[in-house]
């Protein structure tokens, strides 16, 4: 299986959409796509909705991206993490490195509720 990546830019940052498998054959492509985006210094969202598999090489690639993002002070958020990929990332501790879109949505909802309550 191959990996396709597409990027979309907007005023708030960049979204990289990955489709396929992230493994030893494709992780280099992903890394080459992500590192320049991290170095731009804008928030980066990685959409993994269409990623069906992540190997240890893929996890290593995401770790390199995480470390580079920390170095540059860039927020990286993962979106659309499937149950299978989430299980692998959680079991290996890699999920702890990244904010997920689900967590961001939950935090935004909680903040909105708190503002509404305070306004009463």
């Amino acid at each position: 299986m191959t990996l396709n990546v597409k990027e979309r830019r907007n005023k708030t940052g960049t979204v990289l959409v990955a489709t396929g498998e992230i493994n030893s054959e494709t992780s280099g492509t992903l890394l080459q796509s992500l590192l320049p985006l991290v170095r731009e210094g804008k928030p980066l969202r990685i959409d993994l909705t269409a990623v069906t598999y992540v190997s240890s090489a893929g996890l290593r690639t995401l770790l390199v991206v995480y470390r580079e993002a920390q170095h540059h002070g860039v927020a990286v958020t993962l979106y659309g993490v499937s149950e299978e990929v989430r299980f692998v990332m959680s079991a290996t501790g890699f999920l702890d490195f990244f904010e997920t879109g689900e967590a961001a949505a939950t935090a935004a909802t909680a903040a909105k509720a708190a503002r509404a309550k305070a306004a009463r």
Side-chain angles (χ1 to χ4, degrees):
M1 180 113 196
T2 61
L3 178 72
N4 294 310
V5 292
K6 294 181 182 178
E7 71 180 63
R8 295 188 317 252
R9 296 174 183 264
N10 57 40
K11 292 178 184 176
T12 61
T14 303
V15 177
L16 184 121
V17 179
T19 304
E21 295 183 356
I22 305 172
N23 55 39
S24 60
E25 293 178 15
T26 62
S27 60
T29 299
L30 183 62
L31 189 62
Q32 289 175 353
S33 297
L34 287 170
L35 287 181
L37 298 176
V38 168
R39 292 174 182 148
E40 288 178 2
K42 297 179 182 176
L44 175 62
R45 295 173 46 181
I46 304 171
D47 185 342
L48 300 174
T49 302
V51 170
T52 56
Y53 174 78
V54 176
S55 72
S56 60
L59 293 175
R60 188 172 43 255
T61 295
L62 291 174
L63 181 60
V64 169
V65 169
Y66 168 79
R67 288 182 177 161
E68 190 72 10
Q70 291 295 302
H71 178 74
H72 289 281
V74 173
V76 176
T77 306
L78 303 180
Y79 283 84
V81 182
S82 70
E83 287 302 315
E84 295 83 10
V85 172
R86 180 178 296 279
F87 176 79
V88 170
M89 292 183 76
S90 180
T92 57
F94 278 78
L95 199 56
D96 296 337
F97 295 128
F98 295 94
E99 182 173 334
T100 62
E102 294 81 5
T106 301
T109 300
K112 185 177 179 180
R115 286 192 302 271
K117 185 176 180 181
R120 292 182 205 166

